[in-house]
Amino acid sequence: MIRNKVRENEKTVLYVDEIPSGAHFHVASGETLKINIACFVNDLDGKIDVDVDENGNFEGALADFSNRNGKFIINVNLNGRGATCNWHLASLTGGDSKKVFETSVFHEDAETFALMSNYGIARDSGKLTFTGTSHIKQGSKKTNTRQEAKIIVFDDTSDGKALPILKIDENDVSASHAAIVGRLNEQHLFYLESRGISEEDAKRIISLGYLKPIEEYFSDEETLRIIDRAIEGGI
Amino acid sequence: MSTLVIKNLHASVKGKEILKGVNLTLNEGETLALLGPNGHGKSTLLAAIMGNPAFEVTEGEIYIDGTDILALTPDLRSKAGLFLAMQYPAEIPGLNSADFLKASMNAHREKPLTLFQFYKALQDAYGALGIPFEMSKRNLNEGFSGGEKKRNEILQMKLLAPKFAMLDEIDSGLDVDAMVTVADEIKKQQERGAGFLVISHYARLYNMINPTRAAVLVNGRIAVEGGPELVERIDKEGYEWIKRELGINVEKEVDGSMNTVSIGACGTKVKINDKK
């Protein structure tokens, strides 16, 4: 199942079960780069750097279902005015794996936009950490940045940490973060159960809601099928 | 004909007793207006009947046709024919509305609906409630306006066709047109023979759906039961006469103190000497 597809012309880079370590991408002015990473069996360790020029767009998605350890780092530098970054991550962390995802974005110029969205489920003895910095540098006026980190902790032995950091060194910017770590919401479960859905199914449905949306960012159909199987079979 | 029977129901929230012995009976085909001052237990009663885990039933019984409802989990109460349109429906991230509706409709059936049957029912229901069908693709209640959430509750009631529907302030957040649409759907369910237990602070909704009976919940107990004329009287006079005529001292609104919330500083503006 280990494949590594790089389709240069399409500007979508797909990694399946092979996390790049030290890969560097450069998105030229006005261009769009998509990176899709799916991890099913291998270690997570890896690091990606992305530089985005003026009005360039970076769209990254990582779907992780491996029961291995590791730390994944992505740094996105928005170097030119109007550069954007949209990052989406979904991780199912079970067994006794320990995973850290560090997702950072550096706003180096004005009117740049970034969304770093990380969703995860920690269960069994899995330990899941989302961290990362959104740093708005001096001179990056009218910049908009958001860090989201949401983890459902399923079992007594599982653990989740969300540590989003905002560093703001400029005025006239918009910056926000959301960090939620906790058990399945009792009132959410009750709402579904009150409609006839069993507790077990309700838990499953709510968990799917954390992982399933990652599918919309993947374009390779074969990878999508495996992701779908991993989600449906994993929960 | 089914009957919902509530006997001597006591219920607490966080150790504080809200319901102090409620007795009430509702037959299929009846519409009962449940009235009472704020904080006296109306919403608690509906939540306790449905089995909301935030409310602990400490004493009493609830039966539908002799089946002990209190022994059932909320999903089984739903299958027994109960439905609660909630005052504050939960927003569930990532859960597609149509997927949710399909799961709940299929939970009520032995054989799952075919895709065709499901979409037909869905389209009919969205049409009847004047909700754009595109809303079925959105996450459940996420980012819905107050009125959209309430219509969405009535949509679920229509699709699940319960024996007993409990509506908790379904008219709050609805504009006049939306209220007419919602009332029309309630009337259709009344014709079908469903029983209703309806909380509202306004006579407008009650006038549209014509309750057959009314009950007033004061101090955690039913203080008085009667015909629809009770709705009119309370709309005109409030609750003062209850003390005068029935000698019941209406307690001040039960302490609605909030949990302590702390809001920390998230964004810190600092000068950073970064090598980048």
Side-chain angles (χ1 to χ4, degrees), chain B residues 101 105 118-131 133 151 154-156 158-159 181 185:
Chain B
L101 294 170
M105 286 167 80
F118 171 65
Y119 273 101
K120 177 87 175 59
L122 209 57
Q123 269 171 340
D124 289 352
Y126 274 83
L129 285 155
I131 309 174
F133 194 63
R151 275 201 234 206
I154 295 299
L155 173 101
Q156 293 169 45
K158 179 178 175 64
L159 290 170
T181 311
E185 186 51 44

PDB file of all heavy atoms in Angstrom, chain B residues 101 105 118-131 133 151 154-156 158-159 181 185:
ATOM      1  N   LEU B 101     -30.949  12.731   9.743  1.00  0.00           N
ATOM      2  CA  LEU B 101     -32.379  12.444   9.592  1.00  0.00           C
ATOM      3  C   LEU B 101     -32.586  11.007   9.144  1.00  0.00           C
ATOM      4  O   LEU B 101     -33.504  10.320   9.601  1.00  0.00           O
ATOM      5  CB  LEU B 101     -33.006  13.427   8.601  1.00  0.00           C
ATOM      6  CG  LEU B 101     -33.030  14.887   9.080  1.00  0.00           C
ATOM      7  CD1 LEU B 101     -33.438  15.824   7.953  1.00  0.00           C
ATOM      8  CD2 LEU B 101     -33.970  15.046  10.268  1.00  0.00           C
ATOM      9  N   MET B 105     -34.670   8.295  11.216  1.00  0.00           N
ATOM     10  CA  MET B 105     -35.859   7.660  10.622  1.00  0.00           C
ATOM     11  C   MET B 105     -35.684   6.141  10.569  1.00  0.00           C
ATOM     12  O   MET B 105     -36.605   5.388  10.891  1.00  0.00           O
ATOM     13  CB  MET B 105     -36.100   8.205   9.214  1.00  0.00           C
ATOM     14  CG  MET B 105     -36.671   9.622   9.225  1.00  0.00           C
ATOM     15  SD  MET B 105     -36.607  10.382   7.594  1.00  0.00           S
ATOM     16  CE  MET B 105     -38.037   9.627   6.828  1.00  0.00           C
ATOM     17  N   PHE B 118     -36.488   7.729   1.138  1.00  0.00           N
ATOM     18  CA  PHE B 118     -35.924   8.719   2.056  1.00  0.00           C
ATOM     19  C   PHE B 118     -35.955  10.116   1.440  1.00  0.00           C
ATOM     20  O   PHE B 118     -36.440  11.068   2.052  1.00  0.00           O
ATOM     21  CB  PHE B 118     -34.504   8.321   2.455  1.00  0.00           C
ATOM     22  CG  PHE B 118     -33.782   9.387   3.228  1.00  0.00           C
ATOM     23  CD1 PHE B 118     -34.229   9.767   4.494  1.00  0.00           C
ATOM     24  CD2 PHE B 118     -32.674  10.018   2.694  1.00  0.00           C
ATOM     25  CE1 PHE B 118     -33.576  10.761   5.206  1.00  0.00           C
ATOM     26  CE2 PHE B 118     -32.017  11.010   3.397  1.00  0.00           C
ATOM     27  CZ  PHE B 118     -32.470  11.383   4.657  1.00  0.00           C
ATOM     28  N   TYR B 119     -35.461  10.219   0.204  1.00  0.00           N
ATOM     29  CA  TYR B 119     -35.400  11.554  -0.405  1.00  0.00           C
ATOM     30  C   TYR B 119     -36.784  12.127  -0.689  1.00  0.00           C
ATOM     31  O   TYR B 119     -36.999  13.334  -0.595  1.00  0.00           O
ATOM     32  CB  TYR B 119     -34.506  11.556  -1.645  1.00  0.00           C
ATOM     33  CG  TYR B 119     -33.076  11.794  -1.239  1.00  0.00           C
ATOM     34  CD1 TYR B 119     -32.176  10.742  -1.151  1.00  0.00           C
ATOM     35  CD2 TYR B 119     -32.650  13.072  -0.870  1.00  0.00           C
ATOM     36  CE1 TYR B 119     -30.870  10.959  -0.717  1.00  0.00           C
ATOM     37  CE2 TYR B 119     -31.356  13.301  -0.434  1.00  0.00           C
ATOM     38  CZ  TYR B 119     -30.466  12.244  -0.366  1.00  0.00           C
ATOM     39  OH  TYR B 119     -29.199  12.463   0.080  1.00  0.00           O
ATOM     40  N   LYS B 120     -37.708  11.253  -1.009  1.00  0.00           N
ATOM     41  CA  LYS B 120     -39.086  11.689  -1.220  1.00  0.00           C
ATOM     42  C   LYS B 120     -39.628  12.292   0.084  1.00  0.00           C
ATOM     43  O   LYS B 120     -40.162  13.404   0.090  1.00  0.00           O
ATOM     44  CB  LYS B 120     -39.931  10.478  -1.658  1.00  0.00           C
ATOM     45  CG  LYS B 120     -41.395  10.752  -1.840  1.00  0.00           C
ATOM     46  CD  LYS B 120     -41.676  11.245  -3.250  1.00  0.00           C
ATOM     47  CE  LYS B 120     -43.167  11.406  -3.510  1.00  0.00           C
ATOM     48  NZ  LYS B 120     -43.829  12.337  -2.591  1.00  0.00           N
ATOM     49  N   ALA B 121     -39.482  11.555   1.185  1.00  0.00           N
ATOM     50  CA  ALA B 121     -39.967  12.029   2.491  1.00  0.00           C
ATOM     51  C   ALA B 121     -39.272  13.334   2.882  1.00  0.00           C
ATOM     52  O   ALA B 121     -39.901  14.263   3.389  1.00  0.00           O
ATOM     53  CB  ALA B 121     -39.735  10.963   3.559  1.00  0.00           C
ATOM     54  N   LEU B 122     -37.967  13.377   2.613  1.00  0.00           N
ATOM     55  CA  LEU B 122     -37.184  14.551   2.990  1.00  0.00           C
ATOM     56  C   LEU B 122     -37.643  15.784   2.208  1.00  0.00           C
ATOM     57  O   LEU B 122     -37.859  16.858   2.770  1.00  0.00           O
ATOM     58  CB  LEU B 122     -35.708  14.261   2.710  1.00  0.00           C
ATOM     59  CG  LEU B 122     -34.681  14.961   3.588  1.00  0.00           C
ATOM     60  CD1 LEU B 122     -34.921  14.640   5.055  1.00  0.00           C
ATOM     61  CD2 LEU B 122     -33.270  14.572   3.189  1.00  0.00           C
ATOM     62  N   GLN B 123     -37.796  15.604   0.902  1.00  0.00           N
ATOM     63  CA  GLN B 123     -38.211  16.732   0.067  1.00  0.00           C
ATOM     64  C   GLN B 123     -39.597  17.237   0.469  1.00  0.00           C
ATOM     65  O   GLN B 123     -39.821  18.444   0.560  1.00  0.00           O
ATOM     66  CB  GLN B 123     -38.196  16.335  -1.407  1.00  0.00           C
ATOM     67  CG  GLN B 123     -36.852  16.652  -2.034  1.00  0.00           C
ATOM     68  CD  GLN B 123     -36.684  16.089  -3.420  1.00  0.00           C
ATOM     69  OE1 GLN B 123     -37.401  15.156  -3.807  1.00  0.00           O
ATOM     70  NE2 GLN B 123     -35.732  16.615  -4.168  1.00  0.00           N
ATOM     71  N   ASP B 124     -40.516  16.293   0.735  1.00  0.00           N
ATOM     72  CA  ASP B 124     -41.864  16.674   1.174  1.00  0.00           C
ATOM     73  C   ASP B 124     -41.796  17.496   2.466  1.00  0.00           C
ATOM     74  O   ASP B 124     -42.455  18.525   2.604  1.00  0.00           O
ATOM     75  CB  ASP B 124     -42.731  15.434   1.410  1.00  0.00           C
ATOM     76  CG  ASP B 124     -43.108  14.759   0.104  1.00  0.00           C
ATOM     77  OD1 ASP B 124     -42.826  15.349  -0.964  1.00  0.00           O
ATOM     78  OD2 ASP B 124     -43.656  13.643   0.148  1.00  0.00           O
ATOM     79  N   ALA B 125     -40.987  17.011   3.408  1.00  0.00           N
ATOM     80  CA  ALA B 125     -40.934  17.657   4.719  1.00  0.00           C
ATOM     81  C   ALA B 125     -40.300  19.049   4.625  1.00  0.00           C
ATOM     82  O   ALA B 125     -40.814  20.006   5.213  1.00  0.00           O
ATOM     83  CB  ALA B 125     -40.157  16.787   5.701  1.00  0.00           C
ATOM     84  N   TYR B 126     -39.200  19.154   3.882  1.00  0.00           N
ATOM     85  CA  TYR B 126     -38.573  20.472   3.734  1.00  0.00           C
ATOM     86  C   TYR B 126     -39.530  21.440   3.048  1.00  0.00           C
ATOM     87  O   TYR B 126     -39.641  22.607   3.442  1.00  0.00           O
ATOM     88  CB  TYR B 126     -37.246  20.366   2.957  1.00  0.00           C
ATOM     89  CG  TYR B 126     -36.062  20.031   3.835  1.00  0.00           C
ATOM     90  CD1 TYR B 126     -35.780  18.716   4.197  1.00  0.00           C
ATOM     91  CD2 TYR B 126     -35.231  21.028   4.323  1.00  0.00           C
ATOM     92  CE1 TYR B 126     -34.707  18.400   5.011  1.00  0.00           C
ATOM     93  CE2 TYR B 126     -34.144  20.725   5.149  1.00  0.00           C
ATOM     94  CZ  TYR B 126     -33.887  19.421   5.479  1.00  0.00           C
ATOM     95  OH  TYR B 126     -32.820  19.115   6.287  1.00  0.00           O
ATOM     96  N   GLY B 127     -40.238  20.919   2.041  1.00  0.00           N
ATOM     97  CA  GLY B 127     -41.208  21.754   1.333  1.00  0.00           C
ATOM     98  C   GLY B 127     -42.320  22.221   2.255  1.00  0.00           C
ATOM     99  O   GLY B 127     -42.660  23.407   2.289  1.00  0.00           O
ATOM    100  N   ALA B 128     -42.874  21.285   3.052  1.00  0.00           N
ATOM    101  CA  ALA B 128     -44.002  21.611   3.930  1.00  0.00           C
ATOM    102  C   ALA B 128     -43.609  22.672   4.944  1.00  0.00           C
ATOM    103  O   ALA B 128     -44.439  23.484   5.354  1.00  0.00           O
ATOM    104  CB  ALA B 128     -44.487  20.355   4.650  1.00  0.00           C
ATOM    105  N   LEU B 129     -42.353  22.669   5.370  1.00  0.00           N
ATOM    106  CA  LEU B 129     -41.947  23.629   6.391  1.00  0.00           C
ATOM    107  C   LEU B 129     -41.251  24.853   5.809  1.00  0.00           C
ATOM    108  O   LEU B 129     -40.750  25.700   6.543  1.00  0.00           O
ATOM    109  CB  LEU B 129     -41.061  22.940   7.432  1.00  0.00           C
ATOM    110  CG  LEU B 129     -41.937  22.083   8.340  1.00  0.00           C
ATOM    111  CD1 LEU B 129     -41.187  20.958   8.964  1.00  0.00           C
ATOM    112  CD2 LEU B 129     -42.607  22.951   9.386  1.00  0.00           C
ATOM    113  N   GLY B 130     -41.228  24.923   4.490  1.00  0.00           N
ATOM    114  CA  GLY B 130     -40.663  26.109   3.854  1.00  0.00           C
ATOM    115  C   GLY B 130     -39.175  26.274   4.125  1.00  0.00           C
ATOM    116  O   GLY B 130     -38.680  27.398   4.212  1.00  0.00           O
ATOM    117  N   ILE B 131     -38.481  25.153   4.279  1.00  0.00           N
ATOM    118  CA  ILE B 131     -37.033  25.215   4.481  1.00  0.00           C
ATOM    119  C   ILE B 131     -36.370  24.867   3.149  1.00  0.00           C
ATOM    120  O   ILE B 131     -36.718  23.856   2.541  1.00  0.00           O
ATOM    121  CB  ILE B 131     -36.567  24.209   5.559  1.00  0.00           C
ATOM    122  CG1 ILE B 131     -37.386  24.364   6.839  1.00  0.00           C
ATOM    123  CG2 ILE B 131     -35.076  24.379   5.846  1.00  0.00           C
ATOM    124  CD1 ILE B 131     -37.074  23.307   7.889  1.00  0.00           C
ATOM    125  N   PHE B 133     -34.217  23.156   0.494  1.00  0.00           N
ATOM    126  CA  PHE B 133     -33.708  21.783   0.561  1.00  0.00           C
ATOM    127  C   PHE B 133     -32.185  21.750   0.736  1.00  0.00           C
ATOM    128  O   PHE B 133     -31.640  20.787   1.290  1.00  0.00           O
ATOM    129  CB  PHE B 133     -34.122  20.999  -0.691  1.00  0.00           C
ATOM    130  CG  PHE B 133     -33.917  19.518  -0.540  1.00  0.00           C
ATOM    131  CD1 PHE B 133     -34.623  18.803   0.422  1.00  0.00           C
ATOM    132  CD2 PHE B 133     -33.005  18.848  -1.336  1.00  0.00           C
ATOM    133  CE1 PHE B 133     -34.426  17.433   0.588  1.00  0.00           C
ATOM    134  CE2 PHE B 133     -32.803  17.479  -1.180  1.00  0.00           C
ATOM    135  CZ  PHE B 133     -33.516  16.780  -0.221  1.00  0.00           C
ATOM    136  N   ARG B 151     -37.668  25.471  13.215  1.00  0.00           N
ATOM    137  CA  ARG B 151     -38.323  24.804  12.078  1.00  0.00           C
ATOM    138  C   ARG B 151     -37.743  23.412  11.871  1.00  0.00           C
ATOM    139  O   ARG B 151     -38.454  22.473  11.523  1.00  0.00           O
ATOM    140  CB  ARG B 151     -38.095  25.612  10.810  1.00  0.00           C
ATOM    141  CG  ARG B 151     -39.086  26.711  10.626  1.00  0.00           C
ATOM    142  CD  ARG B 151     -39.106  27.079   9.184  1.00  0.00           C
ATOM    143  NE  ARG B 151     -38.875  28.502   9.044  1.00  0.00           N
ATOM    144  CZ  ARG B 151     -39.306  29.196   8.000  1.00  0.00           C
ATOM    145  NH1 ARG B 151     -39.946  28.597   7.023  1.00  0.00           N
ATOM    146  NH2 ARG B 151     -39.086  30.476   7.931  1.00  0.00           N
ATOM    147  N   ILE B 154     -39.379  20.955  14.122  1.00  0.00           N
ATOM    148  CA  ILE B 154     -40.708  20.557  13.659  1.00  0.00           C
ATOM    149  C   ILE B 154     -40.589  19.613  12.446  1.00  0.00           C
ATOM    150  O   ILE B 154     -41.371  18.676  12.279  1.00  0.00           O
ATOM    151  CB  ILE B 154     -41.564  21.804  13.323  1.00  0.00           C
ATOM    152  CG1 ILE B 154     -41.809  22.615  14.606  1.00  0.00           C
ATOM    153  CG2 ILE B 154     -42.900  21.416  12.693  1.00  0.00           C
ATOM    154  CD1 ILE B 154     -42.570  21.873  15.692  1.00  0.00           C
ATOM    155  N   LEU B 155     -39.556  19.868  11.623  1.00  0.00           N
ATOM    156  CA  LEU B 155     -39.277  18.971  10.493  1.00  0.00           C
ATOM    157  C   LEU B 155     -39.033  17.545  11.000  1.00  0.00           C
ATOM    158  O   LEU B 155     -39.561  16.567  10.453  1.00  0.00           O
ATOM    159  CB  LEU B 155     -38.052  19.488   9.741  1.00  0.00           C
ATOM    160  CG  LEU B 155     -37.514  18.605   8.625  1.00  0.00           C
ATOM    161  CD1 LEU B 155     -37.977  19.149   7.280  1.00  0.00           C
ATOM    162  CD2 LEU B 155     -36.006  18.535   8.618  1.00  0.00           C
ATOM    163  N   GLN B 156     -38.248  17.443  12.073  1.00  0.00           N
ATOM    164  CA  GLN B 156     -37.965  16.117  12.632  1.00  0.00           C
ATOM    165  C   GLN B 156     -39.235  15.485  13.190  1.00  0.00           C
ATOM    166  O   GLN B 156     -39.454  14.287  13.048  1.00  0.00           O
ATOM    167  CB  GLN B 156     -36.898  16.217  13.719  1.00  0.00           C
ATOM    168  CG  GLN B 156     -35.535  16.621  13.181  1.00  0.00           C
ATOM    169  CD  GLN B 156     -34.558  16.962  14.286  1.00  0.00           C
ATOM    170  OE1 GLN B 156     -34.446  16.252  15.272  1.00  0.00           O
ATOM    171  NE2 GLN B 156     -33.857  18.064  14.131  1.00  0.00           N
ATOM    172  N   LYS B 158     -42.220  15.948  12.116  1.00  0.00           N
ATOM    173  CA  LYS B 158     -43.012  15.487  10.967  1.00  0.00           C
ATOM    174  C   LYS B 158     -42.482  14.141  10.453  1.00  0.00           C
ATOM    175  O   LYS B 158     -43.239  13.217  10.197  1.00  0.00           O
ATOM    176  CB  LYS B 158     -42.946  16.542   9.854  1.00  0.00           C
ATOM    177  CG  LYS B 158     -43.720  16.169   8.594  1.00  0.00           C
ATOM    178  CD  LYS B 158     -43.625  17.303   7.576  1.00  0.00           C
ATOM    179  CE  LYS B 158     -44.285  16.920   6.249  1.00  0.00           C
ATOM    180  NZ  LYS B 158     -45.734  16.681   6.370  1.00  0.00           N
ATOM    181  N   LEU B 159     -41.148  14.044  10.336  1.00  0.00           N
ATOM    182  CA  LEU B 159     -40.565  12.828   9.771  1.00  0.00           C
ATOM    183  C   LEU B 159     -40.709  11.628  10.708  1.00  0.00           C
ATOM    184  O   LEU B 159     -40.813  10.488  10.254  1.00  0.00           O
ATOM    185  CB  LEU B 159     -39.088  13.059   9.433  1.00  0.00           C
ATOM    186  CG  LEU B 159     -38.829  14.003   8.246  1.00  0.00           C
ATOM    187  CD1 LEU B 159     -37.355  14.353   8.152  1.00  0.00           C
ATOM    188  CD2 LEU B 159     -39.316  13.370   6.942  1.00  0.00           C
ATOM    189  N   THR B 181     -46.557  28.506   9.499  1.00  0.00           N
ATOM    190  CA  THR B 181     -46.093  27.260   8.894  1.00  0.00           C
ATOM    191  C   THR B 181     -45.969  26.151   9.937  1.00  0.00           C
ATOM    192  O   THR B 181     -46.408  25.019   9.733  1.00  0.00           O
ATOM    193  CB  THR B 181     -44.706  27.481   8.236  1.00  0.00           C
ATOM    194  OG1 THR B 181     -44.768  28.633   7.423  1.00  0.00           O
ATOM    195  CG2 THR B 181     -44.291  26.293   7.421  1.00  0.00           C
ATOM    196  N   GLU B 185     -48.252  22.587  10.521  1.00  0.00           N
ATOM    197  CA  GLU B 185     -47.720  21.237  10.661  1.00  0.00           C
ATOM    198  C   GLU B 185     -48.229  20.586  11.946  1.00  0.00           C
ATOM    199  O   GLU B 185     -48.582  19.400  11.957  1.00  0.00           O
ATOM    200  CB  GLU B 185     -46.185  21.258  10.643  1.00  0.00           C
ATOM    201  CG  GLU B 185     -45.550  19.877  10.630  1.00  0.00           C
ATOM    202  CD  GLU B 185     -46.106  18.964   9.539  1.00  0.00           C
ATOM    203  OE1 GLU B 185     -46.273  19.412   8.397  1.00  0.00           O
ATOM    204  OE2 GLU B 185     -46.398  17.786   9.849  1.00  0.00           O
TER     205      GLU B 185
END
